[in-house]
Amino acid sequence: MFRTLALASVAALSLTNLSEAADFVPADDDIIAFDVIRDGRQLGTHIIRFERNGDALRVVSDIDLRVGLGPVTLFRYEHDATEYWEDGELVRFESRTLKDGERLQVSAERSGDQLDIDGMNYDAEPLNVQLPAALAVSSHWRGYSTDATAIFNTETGEAMDVVITDLGTESLTLNNQSITAQRFRMEGTLTVDLWYGPDGEWVKCEFEARGETVVYNRTDA
């Protein structure tokens, strides 16, 4: 299942970066789902659901990752986020995160060309900030421009400095079909490789965490 996502550059105002925005939005009831694999074993799932009503788009991300030893949970990560888009612009956002025992919460409302954000830093201290509404959101499904120097961190509500590199095209097998995917590397608090299909749809992810390789494998395609 692939959908056309036409990418266009949008100025990110005071942070002077460009974020990529899709002219085409996913259809109602579309889904992107991954199994998250760590060194050959399933770590959890990352699922994105799209609900469309005319020019309004609601995007719900649900990430559930766990590392255990028998019945004992050693690490747990849960991230539930909802993006509200109208006419291709982010107008509202909310998220809740449980990260290795620490709870974070973010809410954001658009005001003109800015997002008014109530969030929490990684020390669980509250923060109130304004960011350019054109910043790319770190939920990955819309992709990123190599001109981006910062993105909206959905865990904390802060701007996160990044370097985006286009690593060229690669052949991937998805649903027993060979596709050509564009590979990007995003270096920020974590270095993540992201692959997007011919129509711009997010199809794969890979990164290193605690010395181990974590791979996202599409399950819905």
Side-chain angles (χ1 to χ4, degrees), residues 44-58:
T45 58
H46 185 150
I47 300 171
I48 305 175
R49 295 180 174 87
F50 302 93
E51 302 171 8
R52 186 178 179 187
N53 183 8
D55 291 329
L57 177 69
R58 183 172 179 260

Side-chain angles (χ1 to χ4, degrees), residues 35-44 213-217:
D35 279 343
V36 183
I37 309 298
R38 185 193 67 163
D39 288 345
R41 295 184 178 182
Q42 184 160 349
L43 184 63
T213 301
V214 177
V215 179
Y216 277 38
N217 292 330

Side-chain angles (χ1 to χ4, degrees), residues 10-20 131-132 134-137 143-153 158-165 185-189:
V10 178
L13 304 177
S14 61
L15 291 183
T16 64
N17 76 284
L18 298 180
S19 63
E20 292 195 358
L131 294 179
L135 275 184
V137 181
Y144 303 97
S145 168
T146 55
D147 293 315
T149 59
I151 62 175
F152 173 32
N153 185 338
E158 299 172 290
M160 180 171 69
D161 293 337
V162 294
V163 175
I164 310 290
T165 306
R185 177 162 294 162
M186 181 169 67
E187 298 173 83
T189 55

Side-chain angles (χ1 to χ4, degrees), residues 5-137:
L5 293 178
L7 302 178
S9 297
V10 178
L13 304 177
S14 61
L15 291 183
T16 64
N17 76 284
L18 298 180
S19 63
E20 292 195 358
D23 291 333
F24 175 83
V25 296
D28 188 32
D29 291 333
D30 277 347
I31 186 171
I32 294 174
F34 295 96
D35 279 343
V36 183
I37 309 298
R38 185 193 67 163
D39 288 345
R41 295 184 178 182
Q42 184 160 349
L43 184 63
T45 58
H46 185 150
I47 300 171
I48 305 175
R49 295 180 174 87
F50 302 93
E51 302 171 8
R52 186 178 179 187
N53 183 8
D55 291 329
L57 177 69
R58 183 172 179 260
V59 183
V60 179
S61 296
D62 181 7
I63 308 173
D64 189 355
L65 309 178
R66 297 169 189 261
V67 177
L69 184 61
V72 180
T73 298
L74 302 178
F75 172 82
R76 183 178 175 187
Y77 180 86
E78 296 178 358
H79 181 69
D80 299 306
T82 306
E83 305 166 35
Y84 298 88
W85 296 81
E86 292 183 5
D87 296 324
E89 295 184 337
L90 181 67
V91 296
R92 187 156 63 94
F93 174 86
E94 53 195 32
S95 72
R96 294 177 182 271
T97 304
L98 174 62
K99 189 173 186 178
D100 210 10
E102 182 178 18
R103 294 187 181 275
L104 304 169
Q105 187 171 337
V106 177
S107 63
E109 292 277 352
R110 189 182 186 106
S111 177
D113 292 330
Q114 303 289 314
L115 286 177
D116 296 326
I117 299 169
D118 291 320
M120 306 177 83
N121 63 25
Y122 286 118
D123 294 321
E125 298 170 338
L127 60 88
N128 302 103
V129 297
Q130 272 197 336
L131 294 179
L135 275 184
V137 181

